[in-house]
Amino acid sequence: MAENKTLYELAKVLRSKNSGPFELTMDVIFDNKDYYNKVKDSGIITKELVCKLYNIEEKDISTLVFFDPAMAFKVTIKRPIDSGSIGETDVYGAQQHAPLMGVLIPM
């Protein structure tokens, strides 16, 4: 039976940040080419997965891109509440990567 690992275990950097007042960006960066290729080739990182993890619609995803030279992928989504607005709880967007951490990748 194949072993699974989480993105948290595979990635060197897993972070989120502001991408302006209306968007959030999640960066997942690897320092191991084999891990990066396993994640990319698995087909698990999709817009459908992001929608499920963040409870959003596909139209709310502006970017999901793998960037081979950096061994990284980036996801940019619409903020559920504009940065700094009443009810917004993470003005810097620094806590929004958590749903990606537990994504399982078959090894």
Side-chain angles (χ1 to χ4, degrees), residues 6-98:
T6 63
L7 278 180
Y8 178 78
E9 294 173 291
L10 298 174
K12 175 71 172 177
V13 175
L14 212 159
R15 67 182 177 206
S16 58
K17 59 188 177 187
N18 275 333
S19 185
F22 309 113
E23 292 183 322
L24 295 166
T25 292
M26 279 67 70
D27 296 317
V28 182
I29 306 167
F30 300 85
D31 64 353
N32 179 306
K33 190 170 187 163
D34 290 334
Y35 286 175
Y36 170 72
N37 286 327
K38 284 273 190 199
V39 172
K40 181 180 174 186
D41 295 342
S42 74
I44 290 172
I45 307 302
T46 63
K47 287 185 176 182
E48 292 77 20
L49 175 69
V50 173
C51 289
K52 182 178 174 186
L53 292 174
Y54 289 90
N55 195 30
I56 60 175
E57 297 180 23
E58 194 169 320
K59 68 178 179 61
D60 295 327
I61 301 171
S62 59
T63 305
L64 191 161
V65 64
F66 282 85
F67 187 62
D68 294 343
M71 293 189 303
F73 72 88
K74 176 183 293 266
V75 180
T76 301
I77 63 172
K78 180 182 175 200
R79 279 181 167 271
I81 300 174
D82 299 346
S83 179
S85 295
I86 294 173
E88 199 276 326
T89 59
D90 186 7
V91 73
Y92 297 111
Q95 306 293 321
Q96 304 307 311
H97 59 283

